[in-house]
Amino acid sequence: MTPDSLASSPRLYVTAPIVSGAEMAVTDAQSHYLLAVMRCVAGDVVRVFNGRDGEWRARVAPQGKRRATLRVEAQQQPQIPEPGPWLLFAPLKSARLDPLVEKATELGVARLMPVITHRTVVTRVNLQRLAAISIEAAEQCERLTVPQIDAPRSLADVLQDWPSAAPALYFCDEAAVRGGHAVPIIRALDDARDPAAFLVGPEGGFDPAEQNTIRACSFTTSVTLGPRILRAETAAIAALSCWQGVFSRQGVVSAK
Amino acid sequence: MTPDSLASSPRLYVTAPIVSGAEMAVTDAQSHYLLAVMRCVAGDVVRVFNGRDGEWRARVAPQGKRRATLRVEAQQQPQIPEPGPWLLFAPLKSARLDPLVEKATELGVARLMPVITHRTVVTRVNLQRLAAISIEAAEQCERLTVPQIDAPRSLADVLQDWPSAAPALYFCDEAAVRGGHAVPIIRALDDARDPAAFLVGPEGGFDPAEQNTIRACSFTTSVTLGPRILRAETAAIAALSCWQGVFSRQGVVSAK
């Protein structure tokens, strides 16, 4: 078992506590992935994490042709804090929302908060589907946690109930492209030392009344992502990319 | 005609010179978009650009039910330089490549360069399809140019023929996630004053020999995007987002 083969072994998110020597159940989908997709056989190495106990090495124990369990061996990595931003976004069609959730997870988002705005067309969100996408992304990108995903709420309620201990909210304000005032995002994040939250609008943007409400909140800062009009999901990914870039530079998020 | 309604009018890329008072043909797809999708009628305002003559106001002149021409009125914006980065990327399946091209265009990429690497699985690239996607993205995001899209070449050839006047090449080096040496991307871009090019690998990454070849080139700098393993298209979008963030802050790319 070389370090390289451990690094390239399948990586699974589980919900149960991970205990040395334990035999762990996995979901039907994970059994299928291990046995049918990855063609694992008895004794093959996998890695497991649950967001609390770090990452562990385990070995596959097939139970017949369709079901597998895992025998837990040793901890590979202790749990470390993964401080990430919150993302407030208006739900989009799944062709655009699914990649957004995937990429936000890869970019380290800690909490996904769907908000319903005046111009939000898509108001039903399949939370189970989004959770599955974010778990798969967390498995692939080597996170030790999965993002929290909230049920959709109206933007007005979320702003009204913003806790005083919550992160500063950066409003990705596309009015800046048309001459409005906003701080370039990298400059705004340079000055920040605390966790961040980002707010991006729906396709078509926030309506003027909403824009005024958002800007009037004491905890919001209008930021601009650059000189072009970005699609909603592009804006979200760009904001999170800048956050990751700035915080990686500052060593707040350091390479493992 | 208020400024707001001009800003929300359809925006079309054309290839012909744009001349005040001229009657311009548009493609069949554009006729369909104007007449069937946007339901434009005679005299409705559209905006046109061709990458050379700035942005112009024009009015729709339907020619029957299915074909439209445009009558050019006045220039709305002069052509300005849009200095953007080059992106060298291994072709991906279209479900991941199409959004990459769309988002790279929104984020200001000047030149898309598909490169074939040792582990590149997808070697055929539909350049016409990618051009159509990038044109649509340029229309939507208010660019005055569309990116240049190169035919695929082998990575080895591209590196060997790198012109001395070409931009510095930032190698998005995921070895850094596993303890290798790379400069955090924002810090690398902070020090840069010239145009940039970014290189991202295929799914599965570059093989070790390729990594060494890339790092050995005098014009490359290994950069890290953060502590996680990103999918190929996420890495490309994150790198371009950081570039846009840094250059917007420096005022090199300023809001219109």
Side-chain angles (χ1 to χ4, degrees):
Chain A
M1 176 87 241
T2 64
D4 264 5
S5 63
L6 179 67
S8 63
S9 61
R11 200 167 173 274
L12 297 179
Y13 174 75
V14 295
T15 52
I18 307 175
V19 181
S20 181
E23 179 112 4
M24 297 197 75
V26 299
T27 65
D28 291 348
Q30 288 172 329
S31 284
H32 175 80
Y33 171 70
L34 290 174
L35 301 180
V37 179
M38 300 302 289
R39 303 194 177 269
C40 289
V41 296
D44 279 358
V45 168
V46 300
R47 294 171 292 161
V48 290
F49 67 107
N50 63 5
R52 305 181 301 279
D53 296 326
E55 183 184 285
W56 291 68
R57 190 181 66 218
R59 290 188 189 269
V60 176
Q63 311 290 322
K65 283 192 180 170
R66 297 208 171 171
R67 205 167 70 77
T69 59
L70 302 178
R71 195 173 304 272
V72 179
E73 294 188 341
Q75 193 187 49
Q76 298 297 312
Q77 279 191 61
Q79 188 71 34
I80 52 167
E82 291 184 326
W86 297 0
L87 177 66
L88 285 70
F89 62 97
L92 305 167
K93 286 183 206 160
S94 67
R96 294 190 176 274
L97 185 55
D98 294 356
L100 168 56
V101 168
E102 177 186 278
K103 277 134 191 48
T105 303
E106 292 175 67
L107 293 166
V109 79
R111 187 173 175 185
L112 291 162
M113 304 171 69
V115 292
I116 308 301
T117 71
H118 295 167
R119 291 183 186 155
T120 302
V121 177
V122 178
T123 55
R124 295 185 65 174
V125 180
N126 185 336
L127 294 174
Q128 211 165 0
R129 178 187 173 86
L130 297 190
I133 291 167
S134 71
I135 287 170
E136 191 182 328
E139 291 171 340
Q140 292 222 3
C141 76
E142 316 249 322
R143 282 176 68 138
L144 292 171
T145 57
V146 297
Q148 172 182 332
I149 305 181
D150 293 4
R153 294 176 66 200
S154 82
L155 175 64
D157 287 353
V158 170
L159 293 178
Q160 196 161 352
D161 299 343
W162 198 254
S164 60
L169 181 60
Y170 296 96
F171 166 36
C172 300
D173 189 352
E174 63 182 21
V177 178
R178 303 206 192 277
H181 178 77
V183 184
I185 187 166
I186 298 271
R187 202 189 299 160
L189 292 175
D190 264 347
D191 297 337
R193 279 295 171 278
D194 296 306
F198 297 98
L199 169 61
V200 295
E203 298 290 343
F206 295 101
D207 78 16
E210 276 176 325
Q211 292 177 33
N212 291 335
T213 303
I214 297 164
R215 292 191 197 109
C217 295
S218 61
F219 49 86
T220 60
T221 303
S222 288
V223 294
T224 175
L225 297 168
R228 286 167 292 275
I229 301 281
L230 304 181
R231 282 184 181 276
E233 77 280 10
T234 311
I237 298 166
L240 295 173
S241 297
C242 289
W243 172 85
Q244 176 170 278
V246 168
F247 280 73
S248 297
R249 180 188 59 181
Q250 293 175 342
V252 176
V253 176
S254 63
K256 279 180 280 209
Chain B
M1 175 88 242
T2 65
D4 264 4
S5 62
L6 180 65
S8 63
S9 61
R11 198 165 175 276
L12 297 179
Y13 174 76
V14 295
T15 50
I18 307 175
V19 182
S20 181
E23 180 113 3
M24 295 196 77
V26 298
T27 65
D28 290 349
Q30 289 173 329
S31 284
H32 176 79
Y33 171 71
L34 290 175
L35 301 180
V37 180
M38 300 302 289
R39 302 192 178 270
C40 290
V41 296
D44 279 358
V45 168
V46 298
R47 294 170 293 160
V48 290
F49 67 108
N50 63 5
R52 303 180 303 275
D53 297 326
E55 183 184 284
W56 291 69
R57 190 182 65 218
R59 289 187 190 270
V60 176
Q63 311 290 326
K65 282 190 179 170
R66 299 205 169 174
R67 206 166 69 80
T69 59
L70 302 178
R71 196 173 303 273
V72 178
E73 292 187 344
Q75 194 187 47
Q76 298 297 310
Q77 281 189 58
Q79 188 71 32
I80 53 168
E82 291 183 327
W86 297 1
L87 177 65
L88 284 69
F89 62 98
L92 305 166
K93 284 184 209 161
S94 67
R96 296 192 175 271
L97 185 55
D98 294 357
L100 167 56
V101 167
E102 177 186 277
K103 277 136 192 49
T105 303
E106 292 175 68
L107 293 165
V109 79
R111 186 173 176 185
L112 291 163
M113 303 171 69
V115 291
I116 308 301
T117 72
H118 295 167
R119 292 184 185 154
T120 302
V121 177
V122 177
T123 54
R124 295 186 64 173
V125 180
N126 185 335
L127 294 174
Q128 210 167 1
R129 179 185 174 87
L130 298 190
I133 291 167
S134 71
I135 286 170
E136 192 182 326
E139 289 170 342
Q140 293 222 2
C141 76
E142 316 247 325
R143 282 176 66 140
L144 293 171
T145 55
V146 296
Q148 173 184 332
I149 305 181
D150 293 4
R153 293 176 66 201
S154 82
L155 175 63
D157 286 352
V158 170
L159 293 179
Q160 196 162 355
D161 298 344
W162 199 255
S164 59
L169 181 61
Y170 296 97
F171 167 35
C172 300
D173 188 352
E174 62 180 24
V177 177
R178 303 206 193 276
H181 178 75
V183 184
I185 186 167
I186 298 271
R187 200 188 300 158
L189 292 175
D190 264 347
D191 296 339
R193 279 293 171 278
D194 295 306
F198 297 99
L199 169 62
V200 295
E203 299 291 343
F206 294 101
D207 76 17
E210 276 176 326
Q211 292 178 33
N212 290 335
T213 303
I214 298 163
R215 292 190 198 111
C217 295
S218 61
F219 48 86
T220 59
T221 303
S222 287
V223 295
T224 175
L225 297 166
R228 285 166 293 274
I229 300 281
L230 305 180
R231 280 185 183 276
E233 76 279 11
T234 311
I237 298 167
L240 295 173
S241 297
C242 288
W243 173 85
Q244 177 171 277
V246 168
F247 280 74
S248 297
R249 178 188 58 181
Q250 293 174 342
V252 177
V253 177
S254 64
K256 281 178 282 206

